[in-house]
Amino acid sequence: MADGAQVISREFTKFANLPAITQGAEILNVLQNITTRLERMETQFNGRFDRLEHRMDRLEHRMDRLEHRIDRLEQRMDGLEQRMDRSEQRMAAMDTNNVIRPMNSKINKPIEELYPLHALATNTEIENFPATINTINTMRDPDLSRILRQLELSVQGSVGMKRQRLIQACGVHVWGMERVV
């Protein structure tokens, strides 16, 4: 056992020659420098990341505003499209009525059949349109007003004025018309 202790004692003296032991303080110092540099790099990275995140937030905010503006533009475009559709519908009805009026102008008796006019909003035949001038001359105010509104004509005045307005809208010339009872 005494021999073993001497061997161990000799081997311990050789540890002083190992670089890890002699330069341990240097290694710890280098590791400390590396750690410090890594921490500094982490701080810089975090700062850059925070700035990038801030920029991304601003960009997202701008994108939200842009999206909102696009939505408003789309709504306006939809409104314009609807207005254009209504205008086209109205113009088509006016064209149809302009074709019908000369046909009605050939009527020379109050009992002859009228060609029905079209409502400007829908370009469809006006429901319950009077069949003849005699029918117009017996119509009541609510029916006259309903038809005049569909033709976008004034509903002001007496029943007689409304009847005359509707007859004119039909294209009929009453001054040359034969009286038939």
Side-chain angles (χ1 to χ4, degrees):
M1 193 160 263
D3 286 338
Q6 279 183 345
V7 171
I8 289 176
S9 158
R10 258 191 321 238
E11 292 301 317
F12 271 126
T13 59
K14 293 180 184 175
F15 275 127
N17 296 333
L18 288 174
I21 299 296
T22 59
Q23 298 168 348
E26 284 180 38
I27 292 172
L28 285 175
N29 192 25
V30 168
L31 287 174
Q32 184 60 40
N33 287 342
I34 290 172
T35 302
T36 301
R37 288 178 68 193
L38 285 173
E39 286 172 351
R40 200 174 319 132
M41 287 172 61
E42 181 182 18
T43 301
Q44 288 174 347
F45 174 76
N46 285 341
R48 286 183 180 168
F49 186 76
D50 288 345
R51 285 191 303 273
L52 180 62
E53 199 171 57
H54 179 69
R55 281 184 174 172
M56 292 297 288
D57 288 344
R58 283 190 355 229
L59 184 59
E60 188 175 325
H61 178 69
R62 289 170 104 182
M63 291 297 290
D64 287 345
R65 285 189 357 232
L66 184 59
E67 196 172 292
H68 180 70
R69 289 174 72 184
I70 289 171
D71 288 345
R72 284 192 350 239
L73 281 174
E74 284 178 349
Q75 288 173 351
R76 289 176 69 186
M77 290 297 292
D78 288 345
L80 285 174
E81 202 172 292
Q82 289 172 356
R83 286 174 58 191
M84 288 293 292
D85 289 344
R86 285 192 304 266
S87 291
E88 287 175 6
Q89 193 86 316
R90 188 174 185 275
M91 288 177 65
M94 290 171 77
D95 288 345
T96 301
N97 289 343
N98 285 337
V99 169
I100 292 171
R101 281 187 188 100
M103 295 168 25
N104 282 338
S105 73
K106 294 179 181 161
I107 292 175
N108 55 19
K109 295 179 186 168
I111 59 171
E112 289 184 53
E113 293 263 337
L114 286 170
Y115 292 94
L117 297 177
H118 285 217
L120 297 186
T122 61
N123 193 23
T124 58
E125 280 187 14
I126 296 174
E127 190 176 323
N128 298 320
F129 195 82
T132 65
I133 299 299
N134 276 348
T135 307
I136 292 174
N137 286 328
T138 61
M139 288 178 73
R140 296 182 175 263
D141 190 17
D143 290 328
L144 287 164
S145 293
R146 176 185 58 82
I147 292 172
L148 290 171
R149 274 192 207 94
Q150 290 182 58
L151 294 170
E152 296 182 11
L153 296 173
S154 172
V155 292
Q156 300 300 313
S158 67
V159 172
M161 291 172 69
K162 291 179 185 182
R163 288 175 180 154
Q164 187 59 38
R165 196 172 298 130
L166 181 55
I167 290 170
Q168 287 174 347
C170 290
V172 176
H173 304 289
V174 290
W175 56 87
M177 188 173 292
E178 295 178 21
R179 283 195 138 312
V180 176
V181 182

